[in-house]
Amino acid sequence: MSDYGIEVLWVLILASLGISAVAVVVFSVSHRRQSAPAVAYATGEDVASEAARKVLREFEKNGHSADAALIAWSPDILRKILADDLPDTQVIVVSNREPYIHNVEDDGVELVVPASGLVSALEPITRACAGTWIAYGGGTADRLTVDKNDRIEVPPDNPSYALRRVWLTEAEYQGYYLGFANEGLWPLCHIAFTRPIFRASDWEAYEAVNRKFADTVVTEARNERPIVLVQDYHFALLPRMIRERLPEAIVITFWHIPWPNSEVYSICPWRERILEGLLGSSIVGFHTQFHANNFAESVDRFLESRIERADAAISYGGRTTLVHAYPISIEWPAELLAKLPDVDKCRARLRQRFGLKADVKLCVGVERLDYTKGILDRLQALEELFTRRPEWVGKLVLLQIAAPSRGTLPAYRQLHDECRRYAEELNQRYGSEDYNPVLMVIEHHAQEQVYEIYRAADICMVTSLHDGMNLVAKEFVAARDDEQGVLLLSTFAGASRELLEALIVNPYDTAMMSDALLRALTMTPDEQRERMRPMREMVRNNNVYRWAGSMLLDAARLRKRGDLDRVTAAGERPSNNNNVIPIFEPTRKAAS
């Protein structure tokens, strides 16, 4: 072909491409007008809208922005988040356990503050947000202390939020709490080799109680757009029930215990119903990414859904639920530490209380009497140490604080008997007239007493067979402002992902636990300090206010995205107000 022919060919090709491009543009404009006649934004505004969505998607990915670690998280920061990003938003907390219990005693009404990880984490948050806490009223004097609307202002010494109590019949409590929640879901979700028990009657009670709590949330909501923080496995059905009644609410469900893999989860007869209930949430939170992944896999296996793994989201039934990891923590600084004396005085008081000699090393365990906590396993480790290193007999005492729990259930009664019997055997074998290697104290302790025990201890053993987080480990670290003490921490507790300087152990490996206990007993003060300092820094920076603030900021972004979507769907031009601009300015205002 001649040069002239080649030039003609190129002209024809370029002309064809130009005509095609014009056709595509004409088709796109025509299609846009046909599919969205109400939308009249300019091209630049369309680009801005899409940019906003990209920002939101990016900030909804598992966790937190890079500058979150630079914020000194505190109650004031939470209040600022609410004022700036969620103005006039009501915060409602829902849990089974209440933060304050009133009981009838011989000399009047006694106020009890339960030593609960959930309560210790959520109570300062609810105070900071001036919210409403809805919980089961199980105290014998609870009905006597509420007003006509079943509310009471708490804390008693400085009221800052409302506690709304929900009343359950004995049959409801037995079926919903002791039955389905704790004989079914609790062993299902924990790898502790206790068989789950599922009864149709328990499920019916569980569903009815969830409905009763949903009614209470709707009653307590001041408008249609509250933020509802649903807590734990007692309320798997509640999020969808709230969503049906308050479609504009932001529902954040936090699952405080592990989530099993999909094969284990398949045991549950109502597995689809539970997943559907939880996916009524705007956000479902777990302590670790591993548990969040297990949840997503269960949804993928049992429901027709779309898993957006890159964005950590699940689309089901026309709605999208974010599934994130939010490691829970504790208040920092702990308010009650100011009420306690220094470490030396705490040690002296505790040793006097239990008759311990000055040269005896004190190892402590603090938890509910539960088969997931590995109490028997730490007793085995103590026996192994005495067998292999008999020189420690008479020089080491294990003080086990075990709060009675669910004592009417057979598995818990059996554990109680086994712990008592094992402790007595060890005391008979290794004890003497003035020495018992195991002090088993099965009774409730106030949080102030627990912190005094932490401060007096040389070693704290957290040997959970399986745990979502375990706040005992973080409380022990927070209590040690002397930067001394050694933490033995189970690899199967979520806290082991954060407290990396602890002595990490496998509670199923008795020899390993014994070796770690010996190492803790012989660790120098300098090494204890080198380990304790970074753990204290971690707990300080990742405190409970950051945990709550991260969820509230995600809730704020979801609300802004919903508002943006409604504006877009209605064909309105976005206004230049505070409800829209922060979407394009994702830097956290709390840092300023």
Side-chain angles (χ1 to χ4, degrees):
M1 183 181 292
S2 67
D3 292 343
Y4 176 76
I6 292 173
E7 289 176 3
V8 170
L9 179 60
W10 273 111
V11 169
L12 291 174
I13 291 172
L14 292 174
S16 176
L17 289 174
I19 293 170
S20 299
V22 171
V24 168
V25 171
V26 171
F27 174 81
S28 298
V29 172
S30 174
H31 181 71
R32 181 180 302 168
R33 287 173 179 167
Q34 291 172 8
S35 60
V39 179
Y41 297 161
T43 304
E45 290 167 345
D46 284 339
V47 171
S49 179
E50 178 58 25
R53 283 180 168 77
K54 287 182 178 178
V55 167
L56 285 164
R57 284 196 296 269
E58 190 63 30
F59 272 73
E60 285 162 2
K61 288 182 182 176
N62 279 322
H64 326 298
S65 65
D67 60 343
L70 305 177
I71 301 171
W73 291 91
S74 67
D76 289 339
I77 293 296
L78 287 187
R79 285 188 281 266
K80 183 174 177 59
I81 290 171
L82 287 170
D84 292 355
D85 295 285
L86 294 162
D88 303 319
T89 298
Q90 179 189 14
V91 176
I92 300 174
V93 174
V94 184
S95 71
N96 174 74
R97 181 168 295 183
E98 55 184 335
Y100 296 93
I101 304 169
H102 291 89
N103 288 323
V104 175
E105 300 293 339
D106 294 337
D107 55 350
V109 175
E110 178 190 26
L111 175 67
V112 178
V113 180
S116 157
L118 183 147
V119 168
S120 64
L122 282 170
E123 211 273 334
I125 301 309
T126 318
R127 274 193 272 118
C129 297
T132 300
W133 189 319
I134 300 172
Y136 161 59
T140 54
D142 277 355
R143 289 181 184 267
L144 304 177
T145 54
V146 295
D147 62 18
K148 63 180 182 180
N149 296 311
D150 297 325
R151 298 191 193 99
I152 181 172
E153 296 295 317
V154 291
D157 55 342
N158 182 26
S160 55
Y161 68 91
L163 171 59
R164 167 67 190 275
R165 286 169 171 156
V166 177
W167 316 116
L168 302 180
T169 66
E170 183 62 25
E172 286 175 328
Y173 183 78
Q174 290 287 335
Y176 137 81
Y177 179 75
L178 293 175
F180 190 77
N182 288 308
E183 284 190 293
L185 289 179
W186 180 266
L188 176 72
C189 292
H190 288 86
I191 304 173
F193 307 104
T194 298
R195 176 177 173 146
I197 298 173
F198 295 108
R199 308 179 188 91
S201 59
D202 290 343
W203 170 256
E204 291 169 3
Y206 185 84
E207 190 172 19
V209 170
N210 273 244
R211 183 75 62 188
K212 181 177 285 191
F213 272 83
D215 293 341
T216 306
V217 169
V218 173
T219 300
E220 290 295 321
R222 293 194 294 263
N223 55 48
E224 296 182 350
R225 291 162 61 88
I227 289 180
V228 186
L229 304 176
V230 177
Q231 304 302 309
D232 225 352
Y233 61 103
H234 311 94
F235 299 111
L237 305 180
L238 184 58
R240 186 157 297 279
M241 292 175 175
I242 295 172
R243 176 74 55 219
E244 291 168 354
R245 307 271 296 278
L246 298 172
E248 293 188 34
I250 295 289
V251 181
I252 303 173
T253 302
F254 195 84
W255 194 266
H256 289 261
I257 64 176
W259 188 276
N261 65 52
S262 62
E263 186 71 18
V264 172
Y265 180 71
S266 69
I267 294 170
C268 182
W270 300 279
R271 60 200 184 194
E272 290 87 1
R273 291 285 308 281
I274 288 172
L275 294 174
E276 288 172 347
L278 290 170
L279 291 178
S281 310
S282 313
I283 302 171
V284 178
F286 296 90
H287 292 302
T288 69
Q289 189 58 47
F290 183 70
H291 296 149
N293 293 345
N294 280 350
F295 175 76
E297 289 169 6
S298 297
V299 173
D300 196 24
R301 180 172 177 180
F302 297 113
L303 296 180
E304 289 291 334
S305 59
R306 187 174 74 251
I307 312 296
E308 303 285 357
R309 299 191 186 277
D311 295 323
I314 297 174
S315 296
Y316 176 75
R319 297 192 64 90
T320 299
T321 300
L322 304 184
V323 181
H324 285 182
Y326 303 95
I328 199 171
S329 195
I330 61 172
E331 183 180 22
W332 185 286
E335 238 181 47
L336 53 79
L337 279 179
K339 304 175 184 177
L340 292 174
D342 61 31
V343 168
D344 289 338
K345 289 182 179 177
C346 287
R347 180 176 287 116
R349 279 170 27 174
L350 198 72
R351 289 174 181 271
Q352 182 179 13
R353 175 184 169 188
F354 291 104
L356 304 178
K357 296 179 182 178
D359 62 342
V360 167
K361 293 282 189 177
L362 179 61
C363 178
V364 302
V366 181
E367 51 260 306
R368 289 185 306 104
L369 190 59
D370 192 286
Y371 54 77
T372 66
K373 301 302 180 182
I375 298 173
L376 290 170
D377 301 85
R378 77 185 58 149
L379 293 176
Q380 291 172 0
L382 180 66
E383 181 180 12
E384 178 80 4
L385 176 69
F386 287 161
T387 300
R388 296 166 59 183
R389 303 294 294 265
E391 67 269 21
W392 281 100
V393 176
K395 297 180 180 179
L396 171 63
V397 168
L398 171 60
L399 171 61
Q400 179 60 58
I401 305 296
S405 177
R406 306 164 191 165
T408 61
L409 299 181
Y412 289 83
R413 289 199 303 269
Q414 179 181 343
L415 176 67
H416 178 278
D417 295 341
E418 288 180 353
C419 287
R420 283 282 194 194
R421 185 168 55 251
Y422 201 168
E424 290 171 2
E425 289 176 2
L426 292 176
N427 287 337
Q428 289 175 4
R429 192 180 313 155
Y430 299 106
S432 61
E433 186 176 335
D434 60 348
Y435 168 73
N436 282 319
V438 181
L439 301 175
M440 183 71 65
V441 183
I442 301 180
E443 61 185 47
H444 292 283
H445 281 64
Q447 200 70 1
E448 187 173 333
Q449 295 174 304
V450 169
Y451 268 77
E452 183 179 59
I453 292 168
Y454 293 146
R455 289 169 74 77
D458 297 292
I459 304 166
C460 180
M461 294 187 77
V462 177
T463 56
S464 310
L465 303 181
H466 203 192
D467 232 330
M469 175 55 68
N470 193 294
L471 293 181
V472 167
K474 294 187 176 184
E475 289 173 348
F476 174 71
V477 168
R480 299 314 298 254
D481 51 10
D482 63 336
E483 298 181 342
Q484 294 296 291
V486 183
L487 174 64
L488 264 69
L489 180 57
S490 168
T491 188
F492 302 117
S496 68
R497 310 296 196 276
E498 297 182 282
L499 301 176
L500 304 179
E501 291 76 19
L503 298 183
I504 308 297
V505 297
N506 176 359
Y508 292 94
D509 187 340
T510 304
M512 180 187 187
M513 289 245 285
S514 173
D515 290 341
L517 186 54
L518 178 61
R519 183 178 177 188
L521 289 167
T522 56
M523 189 178 292
T524 66
D526 286 344
E527 184 179 351
Q528 291 180 41
R529 188 174 297 107
E530 288 173 4
R531 290 176 175 273
M532 188 61 71
R533 278 180 178 170
M535 289 194 292
R536 285 176 59 80
E537 182 180 358
M538 194 288 303
V539 176
R540 179 177 64 248
N541 293 338
N542 297 283
N543 59 31
V544 73
Y545 304 111
R546 180 175 181 179
W547 172 73
S550 298
M551 289 189 288
L552 290 176
L553 283 167
D554 281 347
R557 286 190 287 274
L558 284 178
R559 177 140 290 168
K560 290 170 183 175
R561 183 177 71 178
D563 292 344
L564 177 65
D565 288 344
R566 277 189 290 273
V567 167
T568 303
E572 299 171 7
R573 184 181 299 270
S575 58
N576 228 5
N577 58 35
N578 289 334
N579 290 328
V580 175
I581 290 178
I583 298 175
F584 302 96
E585 298 173 359
T587 302
R588 297 176 187 260
K589 297 182 205 175
S592 61

